[in-house]
Amino acid sequence: MNQVTIEEFYDIVKADGSVNILDVRPRELYEEGHVPGAVHFPLSEIEDHLDDLDKDQVYYVICHDGKGSKKGTEILDKNGFNAINVEKGVPDYPGELEK
């Protein structure tokens, strides 16, 4: 499984504002604040929405503490997507969050 630290992820987001970020947390947490540009893609619904994703893209998967994103990354990997797990989670993101 491909992984990046939260610091590496922050640098990637700063350098390229068009990265694909999937926030797999529950809606309430997503709405409280998320990484700029992140799309809400709840872990509980990932397998139902795989058709919404493009296998030619790279997806960074983030959650609250690194556990949900790891599981989400495994599901995407298993289904042929290029997914990268973000270690730790949104509360550890060093940049500003958007609501």
Side-chain angles (χ1 to χ4, degrees), residues 16 18-22 52-60 76 80-84:
D16 180 3
S18 65
V19 295
N20 296 304
I21 306 164
L22 302 179
D52 297 340
L53 302 177
D54 181 348
K55 288 191 177 177
D56 294 329
Q57 298 291 317
V58 175
Y59 295 95
Y60 290 88
L76 293 173
F81 291 93
N82 187 354
I84 299 171

Side-chain angles (χ1 to χ4, degrees), residues 47-96:
E47 296 192 72
D48 297 333
H49 294 280
L50 293 174
D51 290 344
D52 297 340
L53 302 177
D54 181 348
K55 288 191 177 177
D56 294 329
Q57 298 291 317
V58 175
Y59 295 95
Y60 290 88
V61 186
I62 193 165
C63 67
H64 190 73
D65 59 10
K67 294 180 184 128
S69 61
K70 188 172 184 181
K71 188 169 179 73
T73 301
E74 288 171 351
I75 292 168
L76 293 173
D77 282 348
K78 181 178 75 178
N79 285 281
F81 291 93
N82 187 354
I84 299 171
N85 179 48
V86 179
E87 295 177 343
K88 296 191 179 179
V90 173
D92 298 297
Y93 185 74
E96 278 193 45

Side-chain angles (χ1 to χ4, degrees), residues 22-62:
L22 302 179
D23 188 324
V24 298
R25 299 176 300 156
R27 177 161 297 284
E28 315 81 67
L29 291 176
Y30 174 82
E31 289 176 353
E32 285 175 13
H34 52 271
V35 174
V39 175
H40 185 234
F41 211 78
L43 181 60
S44 61
E45 300 173 17
I46 281 184
E47 296 192 72
D48 297 333
H49 294 280
L50 293 174
D51 290 344
D52 297 340
L53 302 177
D54 181 348
K55 288 191 177 177
D56 294 329
Q57 298 291 317
V58 175
Y59 295 95
Y60 290 88
V61 186
I62 193 165

